[in-house]
Amino acid sequence: MADMQRHDMRIAVLAGGASAERDVSLSSGANVANALRKAGYGKVDTLDPATDTFLDDVRAGSYDAAFIALHGVGGEDGMVQHILEYLGIPYTGSDALASGCGMDKELSKVLYDRAGIPTARGMAIERGETWDAAAIVEQLGSHLFVKPAYNGSSYGVSKVDAVADLDAAIEQAFEYDTKILVEECLVGTEISVGVFGGDELVALPIVEICCPDDVDFYDLSVKYVDPKDIHRIPARLSEADYERAQQLAKEAHDALGCYGISRSDFIVGERGPVILETNTIPGMTESSLFPDEVRHAGLDFANVCAELVELALARADR
């Protein structure tokens, strides 16, 4: 199958879905679909798993491969990967197991720790459990981040600077998930490192995220604005920290069992690069981090998308 000519192939781009990141996914899907057409694929359809006819459309399409541009629950957690495996359709990115590991921020941290990748101190709380805000602050400090364990794009994420605000932040995070993380707020330079490839992983140029002064962190208000305003490439890091971050991004990719593509976020401070999370399906919109890194690496986004399809076909052949 990997030897088929692109103009003879039918590709399904999966975008949309029912998660809180639906709109971002639709933008990612549109950008990917345009790139695949530019790369020469003969038939590129965009399918939305949130529609009632999705499974029938996938079955009827005789697709040679699916490019997954879904974000969040239902797309990035392994669910759609299981469906495609059952239907025998090759797909881009990580398999169901690695996707689930990457989606669960608590489990990710366990795997990072086992691989020797530095992480922030923190704790998980399940819905229904009781917590003591004062005890949490005593353990982790008064400057904290509270986040849903299974969500992305900063939905439900809060920065907390006082114990009086912690309970409300936890309750807000529980609106998005049944498990949340409370972590120490690391001080330093926020960066993102994309990697892609098969046996030979390529680490892309590092993006430094420069948030406006009136924004507490890299939230939805700035994630999808013009990247020229908030992305600095290459990041202003020491040579040692730069190389270390790229290496750790590859190690995180391997620790989670990722395939083809991932993007890991770090804070670089006095401890060097400390990982925050790994995205197994990075945003692919015009203003997203991964496409911006691709551009600054001198690579063609259409060719990178085509390579991800070819990796999917190669995995299926094996």
Side-chain angles (χ1 to χ4, degrees):
M1 185 181 291
D3 294 330
M4 292 180 62
Q5 296 298 311
R6 290 182 185 177
H7 59 76
D8 294 325
M9 295 179 64
R10 299 172 63 89
I11 308 296
V13 176
L14 308 189
S19 79
E21 300 173 74
R22 171 179 173 81
D23 290 341
V24 176
S25 172
L26 289 170
S27 295
S28 287
N31 200 32
V32 166
N34 288 334
L36 293 175
R37 293 185 186 104
K38 179 181 175 183
Y41 289 95
K43 179 70 172 177
V44 180
D45 296 331
T46 299
L47 304 182
D48 185 350
T51 62
D52 293 337
T53 61
F54 172 69
L55 289 177
D56 292 332
D57 293 339
V58 172
R59 289 193 191 99
S62 298
Y63 294 109
D64 299 296
F67 194 113
I68 303 177
L70 296 163
H71 308 308
V73 175
E76 206 164 356
D77 56 358
M79 183 184 298
V80 78
Q81 289 83 357
H82 276 306
I83 292 171
L84 294 170
E85 287 169 8
Y86 183 78
L87 296 175
I89 300 174
Y91 58 86
T92 58
S94 299
D95 64 16
L97 179 59
S99 297
C101 291
M103 189 70 174
D104 186 332
K105 294 181 176 64
E106 182 188 21
L107 178 54
S108 294
K109 290 185 71 172
V110 171
L111 296 174
Y112 297 148
D113 288 338
R114 287 182 178 177
I117 301 168
T119 62
R121 293 181 302 126
M123 61 183 297
I125 305 174
E126 300 271 1
R127 181 177 291 163
E129 291 181 353
T130 59
W131 67 85
D132 184 331
I136 293 173
V137 167
E138 183 177 356
Q139 178 181 343
L140 301 177
S142 59
H143 301 293
L144 302 165
F145 271 102
V146 181
K147 62 185 73 172
Y150 285 88
N151 230 334
S153 285
S154 298
Y155 287 97
V157 178
S158 300
K159 184 180 180 183
V160 175
D161 293 312
V163 65
D165 299 326
L166 182 55
D167 286 336
I170 291 174
E171 293 292 352
Q172 177 180 317
F174 274 132
E175 293 178 9
Y176 291 86
D177 196 7
T178 59
K179 180 169 69 173
I180 63 101
L181 292 184
V182 182
E183 294 181 332
E184 64 177 327
C185 178
L186 298 170
V187 177
T189 301
E190 186 170 359
I191 63 169
S192 188
V193 190
V195 301
F196 82 99
D199 296 333
E200 294 292 333
L201 277 179
V202 175
L204 296 171
I206 298 178
V207 180
E208 177 183 349
I209 298 167
C210 304
C211 290
D213 293 337
D214 59 345
V215 174
D216 283 338
F217 63 97
Y218 189 51
D219 63 7
L220 282 170
S221 67
V222 293
K223 277 194 172 182
Y224 301 105
V225 302
D226 190 333
K228 294 192 297 294
D229 296 335
I230 58 171
H231 298 176
R232 183 183 180 93
I233 308 178
R236 294 169 293 184
L237 302 174
S238 69
E239 182 177 351
D241 282 340
Y242 197 101
E243 292 178 356
R244 177 67 171 154
Q246 287 187 315
Q247 179 60 32
L248 287 175
K250 293 180 181 180
E251 292 178 10
H253 182 98
D254 290 337
L256 298 180
C258 295
Y259 181 78
I261 182 174
S262 70
R263 199 201 75 231
S264 292
D265 303 331
F266 300 83
I267 294 291
V268 184
E270 59 183 18
R271 294 172 57 191
V274 176
I275 196 164
L276 301 177
E277 64 179 13
T278 298
N279 298 271
T280 56
I281 305 179
M284 292 290 197
T285 74
E286 283 284 352
S287 58
S288 294
L289 291 161
F290 187 87
D292 207 15
E293 293 179 61
V294 167
R295 285 190 291 270
H296 281 80
L299 303 174
D300 182 75
F301 181 67
N303 288 340
V304 170
C305 289
E307 183 172 340
L308 292 173
V309 171
E310 290 164 5
L311 285 168
L313 296 173
R315 175 173 57 189
D317 282 345
R318 291 200 297 268

